[in-house]
Amino acid sequence: MNSCSRETLQEQEKTIGIGWRMIDTMRPQILVTNDDGIFAEGLTALRDALSAVGEVTVVAPERPRSASGHAITLHKPLRMERVRMPWGGEGYAASGTPSDCVVLGIYSLMPHCDLVVSGINLGPNLGEDLTYSGTVSAAMEGAICGRPAIAVSVADYEKPDYGFPARFAAKLARQVLDHGLPPDIVLNVNVPNLPEEEIMGVAITRQGKRRYEGRVERRQDPRGRDYYWLGGEVIQDIDGEHSDGEAVREGRISVTPIHLDLTSYAVAKTLEQWEL
Ligand code: MN
């Protein structure tokens, strides 16, 4: 339902009604989602900034889904509710995961989709944490659906300021729409939580390493039974040169191009030498 339906729609008329709202199909169609839930402040900031770039459709989880990874819902029905958003418009709150939202948006709601932007996440998405991230996974799902995709995070949990990260996301979105991205590529963006004048520029980075110390805490519930709490403290400075984490520590915006192909071609060559 991509290019041919787009042309058909444009031939027919410039604006079409999708449910309750009119969409200008001549503008770039942007799907916005997140993993912090549809009423997260970062999503509103992102939508506001991207409205200057194209027509934004918001489909996001009805409740927070951080660290949900790339899960999709296959064994129960999904629901989408039209909800009134903080900016006065409406969005779709879905009962599923961030990746569910992307599939629902692209294949059941939007006349066509030119770009998927996920975020702005509360907290960094660096190193191996990408594999846990609902924010990054939603962008990956966008790439799987054949759309250019960006994940945006503000690298702090305390008093995040989404204003500058949102403006940067809009600038990047314009360039992605102009230049395109190779298939299977997602841009993972982490913005330091600093005033704009203190940001030291943009670094094109590689995915670093992010490991945790004291990952499991055992505690006791009021009935005397053990329970466990996962997490731990980040082990500092192991992410390496030119990494996403290093850039953020240095006050720079990190932009990492990541790809969906997880194959290690170097090790594949070695394995070919094994006697299997
Ligand atoms: Mn999150």
Side-chain angles (χ1 to χ4, degrees), residues 15-30:
T15 55
I16 55 165
I18 299 286
W20 77 103
R21 71 191 178 128
M22 299 304 285
I23 288 183
D24 181 349
T25 57
M26 299 301 281
R27 301 183 76 206
Q29 300 295 309
I30 304 173

PDB file of all heavy atoms in Angstrom, residues 15-30:
ATOM      1  N   THR A  15      -6.344  16.571   0.126  1.00  0.00           N
ATOM      2  CA  THR A  15      -6.568  16.218   1.525  1.00  0.00           C
ATOM      3  C   THR A  15      -7.587  15.095   1.624  1.00  0.00           C
ATOM      4  O   THR A  15      -8.510  14.998   0.828  1.00  0.00           O
ATOM      5  CB  THR A  15      -7.093  17.410   2.357  1.00  0.00           C
ATOM      6  OG1 THR A  15      -8.259  17.905   1.716  1.00  0.00           O
ATOM      7  CG2 THR A  15      -6.064  18.498   2.470  1.00  0.00           C
ATOM      8  N   ILE A  16      -7.370  14.242   2.593  1.00  0.00           N
ATOM      9  CA  ILE A  16      -8.316  13.150   2.802  1.00  0.00           C
ATOM     10  C   ILE A  16      -8.668  13.091   4.275  1.00  0.00           C
ATOM     11  O   ILE A  16      -7.919  13.565   5.124  1.00  0.00           O
ATOM     12  CB  ILE A  16      -7.742  11.790   2.358  1.00  0.00           C
ATOM     13  CG1 ILE A  16      -6.411  11.515   3.068  1.00  0.00           C
ATOM     14  CG2 ILE A  16      -7.578  11.723   0.863  1.00  0.00           C
ATOM     15  CD1 ILE A  16      -5.990  10.068   2.966  1.00  0.00           C
ATOM     16  N   GLY A  17      -9.796  12.517   4.559  1.00  0.00           N
ATOM     17  CA  GLY A  17     -10.183  12.350   5.948  1.00  0.00           C
ATOM     18  C   GLY A  17      -9.726  10.984   6.442  1.00  0.00           C
ATOM     19  O   GLY A  17      -9.998   9.973   5.831  1.00  0.00           O
ATOM     20  N   ILE A  18      -8.972  10.987   7.548  1.00  0.00           N
ATOM     21  CA  ILE A  18      -8.601   9.733   8.192  1.00  0.00           C
ATOM     22  C   ILE A  18      -9.344   9.744   9.519  1.00  0.00           C
ATOM     23  O   ILE A  18      -8.965  10.488  10.425  1.00  0.00           O
ATOM     24  CB  ILE A  18      -7.091   9.663   8.453  1.00  0.00           C
ATOM     25  CG1 ILE A  18      -6.301   9.731   7.146  1.00  0.00           C
ATOM     26  CG2 ILE A  18      -6.742   8.392   9.226  1.00  0.00           C
ATOM     27  CD1 ILE A  18      -6.349   8.489   6.317  1.00  0.00           C
ATOM     28  N   GLY A  19     -10.367   8.946   9.630  1.00  0.00           N
ATOM     29  CA  GLY A  19     -11.161   8.989  10.848  1.00  0.00           C
ATOM     30  C   GLY A  19     -11.764  10.368  11.013  1.00  0.00           C
ATOM     31  O   GLY A  19     -12.516  10.833  10.170  1.00  0.00           O
ATOM     32  N   TRP A  20     -11.330  11.060  12.032  1.00  0.00           N
ATOM     33  CA  TRP A  20     -11.936  12.341  12.373  1.00  0.00           C
ATOM     34  C   TRP A  20     -11.160  13.542  11.830  1.00  0.00           C
ATOM     35  O   TRP A  20     -11.565  14.665  11.954  1.00  0.00           O
ATOM     36  CB  TRP A  20     -12.001  12.448  13.886  1.00  0.00           C
ATOM     37  CG  TRP A  20     -10.667  12.779  14.479  1.00  0.00           C
ATOM     38  CD1 TRP A  20     -10.268  13.999  14.947  1.00  0.00           C
ATOM     39  CD2 TRP A  20      -9.541  11.932  14.616  1.00  0.00           C
ATOM     40  NE1 TRP A  20      -8.969  13.954  15.366  1.00  0.00           N
ATOM     41  CE2 TRP A  20      -8.499  12.695  15.178  1.00  0.00           C
ATOM     42  CE3 TRP A  20      -9.295  10.573  14.321  1.00  0.00           C
ATOM     43  CZ2 TRP A  20      -7.240  12.153  15.446  1.00  0.00           C
ATOM     44  CZ3 TRP A  20      -8.042  10.052  14.584  1.00  0.00           C
ATOM     45  CH2 TRP A  20      -7.042  10.840  15.145  1.00  0.00           C
ATOM     46  N   ARG A  21      -9.988  13.272  11.258  1.00  0.00           N
ATOM     47  CA  ARG A  21      -9.179  14.455  10.933  1.00  0.00           C
ATOM     48  C   ARG A  21      -8.820  14.492   9.462  1.00  0.00           C
ATOM     49  O   ARG A  21      -8.845  13.481   8.767  1.00  0.00           O
ATOM     50  CB  ARG A  21      -7.925  14.479  11.802  1.00  0.00           C
ATOM     51  CG  ARG A  21      -6.976  13.412  11.407  1.00  0.00           C
ATOM     52  CD  ARG A  21      -5.839  13.197  12.357  1.00  0.00           C
ATOM     53  NE  ARG A  21      -5.105  12.083  11.754  1.00  0.00           N
ATOM     54  CZ  ARG A  21      -3.821  12.083  11.507  1.00  0.00           C
ATOM     55  NH1 ARG A  21      -3.066  13.081  11.849  1.00  0.00           N
ATOM     56  NH2 ARG A  21      -3.265  11.073  10.919  1.00  0.00           N
ATOM     57  N   MET A  22      -8.479  15.670   8.978  1.00  0.00           N
ATOM     58  CA  MET A  22      -8.060  15.841   7.602  1.00  0.00           C
ATOM     59  C   MET A  22      -6.544  15.804   7.540  1.00  0.00           C
ATOM     60  O   MET A  22      -5.861  16.390   8.373  1.00  0.00           O
ATOM     61  CB  MET A  22      -8.555  17.189   7.065  1.00  0.00           C
ATOM     62  CG  MET A  22     -10.064  17.320   7.065  1.00  0.00           C
ATOM     63  SD  MET A  22     -10.894  16.010   6.137  1.00  0.00           S
ATOM     64  CE  MET A  22     -10.557  16.527   4.465  1.00  0.00           C
ATOM     65  N   ILE A  23      -6.038  15.092   6.531  1.00  0.00           N
ATOM     66  CA  ILE A  23      -4.586  14.990   6.381  1.00  0.00           C
ATOM     67  C   ILE A  23      -4.186  15.588   5.044  1.00  0.00           C
ATOM     68  O   ILE A  23      -4.809  15.304   4.026  1.00  0.00           O
ATOM     69  CB  ILE A  23      -4.151  13.509   6.440  1.00  0.00           C
ATOM     70  CG1 ILE A  23      -4.279  12.998   7.866  1.00  0.00           C
ATOM     71  CG2 ILE A  23      -2.727  13.335   5.950  1.00  0.00           C
ATOM     72  CD1 ILE A  23      -3.813  11.588   8.029  1.00  0.00           C
ATOM     73  N   ASP A  24      -3.178  16.430   5.065  1.00  0.00           N
ATOM     74  CA  ASP A  24      -2.629  16.978   3.832  1.00  0.00           C
ATOM     75  C   ASP A  24      -1.624  15.961   3.284  1.00  0.00           C
ATOM     76  O   ASP A  24      -0.506  15.847   3.782  1.00  0.00           O
ATOM     77  CB  ASP A  24      -1.942  18.313   4.130  1.00  0.00           C
ATOM     78  CG  ASP A  24      -1.362  18.935   2.864  1.00  0.00           C
ATOM     79  OD1 ASP A  24      -1.311  18.249   1.832  1.00  0.00           O
ATOM     80  OD2 ASP A  24      -0.968  20.110   2.919  1.00  0.00           O
ATOM     81  N   THR A  25      -2.044  15.205   2.268  1.00  0.00           N
ATOM     82  CA  THR A  25      -1.192  14.111   1.774  1.00  0.00           C
ATOM     83  C   THR A  25      -0.018  14.614   0.939  1.00  0.00           C
ATOM     84  O   THR A  25       0.833  13.837   0.547  1.00  0.00           O
ATOM     85  CB  THR A  25      -2.003  13.111   0.924  1.00  0.00           C
ATOM     86  OG1 THR A  25      -2.617  13.831  -0.144  1.00  0.00           O
ATOM     87  CG2 THR A  25      -3.050  12.404   1.746  1.00  0.00           C
ATOM     88  N   MET A  26       0.010  15.922   0.641  1.00  0.00           N
ATOM     89  CA  MET A  26       1.137  16.457  -0.116  1.00  0.00           C
ATOM     90  C   MET A  26       2.348  16.701   0.779  1.00  0.00           C
ATOM     91  O   MET A  26       3.462  16.810   0.298  1.00  0.00           O
ATOM     92  CB  MET A  26       0.746  17.773  -0.808  1.00  0.00           C
ATOM     93  CG  MET A  26      -0.392  17.629  -1.796  1.00  0.00           C
ATOM     94  SD  MET A  26      -0.038  16.461  -3.131  1.00  0.00           S
ATOM     95  CE  MET A  26       1.002  17.486  -4.179  1.00  0.00           C
ATOM     96  N   ARG A  27       2.141  16.818   2.068  1.00  0.00           N
ATOM     97  CA  ARG A  27       3.267  17.026   2.987  1.00  0.00           C
ATOM     98  C   ARG A  27       3.847  15.665   3.383  1.00  0.00           C
ATOM     99  O   ARG A  27       3.162  14.646   3.311  1.00  0.00           O
ATOM    100  CB  ARG A  27       2.792  17.752   4.247  1.00  0.00           C
ATOM    101  CG  ARG A  27       2.170  19.111   3.981  1.00  0.00           C
ATOM    102  CD  ARG A  27       1.811  19.782   5.295  1.00  0.00           C
ATOM    103  NE  ARG A  27       2.990  20.312   5.966  1.00  0.00           N
ATOM    104  CZ  ARG A  27       3.089  20.491   7.285  1.00  0.00           C
ATOM    105  NH1 ARG A  27       2.095  20.140   8.073  1.00  0.00           N
ATOM    106  NH2 ARG A  27       4.176  20.997   7.816  1.00  0.00           N
ATOM    107  N   PRO A  28       5.123  15.637   3.793  1.00  0.00           N
ATOM    108  CA  PRO A  28       5.673  14.378   4.289  1.00  0.00           C
ATOM    109  C   PRO A  28       4.837  13.836   5.443  1.00  0.00           C
ATOM    110  O   PRO A  28       4.414  14.602   6.309  1.00  0.00           O
ATOM    111  CB  PRO A  28       7.072  14.766   4.791  1.00  0.00           C
ATOM    112  CG  PRO A  28       7.399  16.043   4.116  1.00  0.00           C
ATOM    113  CD  PRO A  28       6.085  16.742   3.860  1.00  0.00           C
ATOM    114  N   GLN A  29       4.590  12.551   5.413  1.00  0.00           N
ATOM    115  CA  GLN A  29       3.796  11.912   6.471  1.00  0.00           C
ATOM    116  C   GLN A  29       4.747  11.297   7.487  1.00  0.00           C
ATOM    117  O   GLN A  29       5.559  10.427   7.145  1.00  0.00           O
ATOM    118  CB  GLN A  29       2.898  10.831   5.870  1.00  0.00           C
ATOM    119  CG  GLN A  29       1.906  11.356   4.836  1.00  0.00           C
ATOM    120  CD  GLN A  29       0.880  12.308   5.423  1.00  0.00           C
ATOM    121  OE1 GLN A  29       0.231  11.998   6.417  1.00  0.00           O
ATOM    122  NE2 GLN A  29       0.747  13.478   4.813  1.00  0.00           N
ATOM    123  N   ILE A  30       4.633  11.765   8.715  1.00  0.00           N
ATOM    124  CA  ILE A  30       5.562  11.337   9.766  1.00  0.00           C
ATOM    125  C   ILE A  30       4.793  10.614  10.872  1.00  0.00           C
ATOM    126  O   ILE A  30       3.820  11.147  11.406  1.00  0.00           O
ATOM    127  CB  ILE A  30       6.315  12.546  10.367  1.00  0.00           C
ATOM    128  CG1 ILE A  30       7.031  13.327   9.256  1.00  0.00           C
ATOM    129  CG2 ILE A  30       7.303  12.088  11.435  1.00  0.00           C
ATOM    130  CD1 ILE A  30       7.655  14.639   9.725  1.00  0.00           C
TER     131      ILE A  30
END
